[in-house]
Short mmCIF file of all heavy atoms in Angstrom, two decimals:
data_model
loop_
_atom_site.label_atom_id
_atom_site.label_comp_id
_atom_site.label_asym_id
_atom_site.label_seq_id
_atom_site.Cartn_x
_atom_site.Cartn_y
_atom_site.Cartn_z
N ILE A 298 112.23 119.00 118.68
CA ILE A 298 111.44 118.80 119.88
C ILE A 298 112.40 118.77 121.06
O ILE A 298 113.35 117.98 121.09
CB ILE A 298 110.66 117.47 119.82
CG1 ILE A 298 109.70 117.48 118.63
CG2 ILE A 298 109.90 117.23 121.11
CD1 ILE A 298 109.09 116.14 118.34
N LYS A 366 91.31 105.02 96.85
CA LYS A 366 91.41 103.62 96.45
C LYS A 366 90.90 102.70 97.55
O LYS A 366 90.17 101.74 97.30
CB LYS A 366 92.87 103.28 96.13
CG LYS A 366 93.34 103.76 94.76
CD LYS A 366 94.77 103.32 94.50
CE LYS A 366 95.17 103.62 93.05
NZ LYS A 366 94.49 102.70 92.11
N GLN A 386 96.80 85.66 102.05
CA GLN A 386 97.79 85.03 101.17
C GLN A 386 99.21 85.40 101.60
O GLN A 386 100.14 84.59 101.49
CB GLN A 386 97.56 85.47 99.73
CG GLN A 386 98.43 84.73 98.72
CD GLN A 386 98.08 83.25 98.62
OE1 GLN A 386 97.04 82.89 98.08
NE2 GLN A 386 98.96 82.40 99.15
N ILE A 472 89.09 93.28 107.11
CA ILE A 472 88.77 92.11 107.92
C ILE A 472 88.12 92.56 109.23
O ILE A 472 87.01 92.15 109.54
CB ILE A 472 90.04 91.28 108.20
CG1 ILE A 472 90.63 90.77 106.87
CG2 ILE A 472 89.72 90.11 109.12
CD1 ILE A 472 91.98 90.10 107.01
N GLY A 564 91.01 126.25 92.20
CA GLY A 564 91.61 127.58 92.29
C GLY A 564 91.39 128.42 91.07
O GLY A 564 92.09 129.41 90.84
#
Side-chain angles (χ1 to χ4, degrees):
I298 299 169
K366 282 183 171 288
Q386 187 67 72
I472 298 172

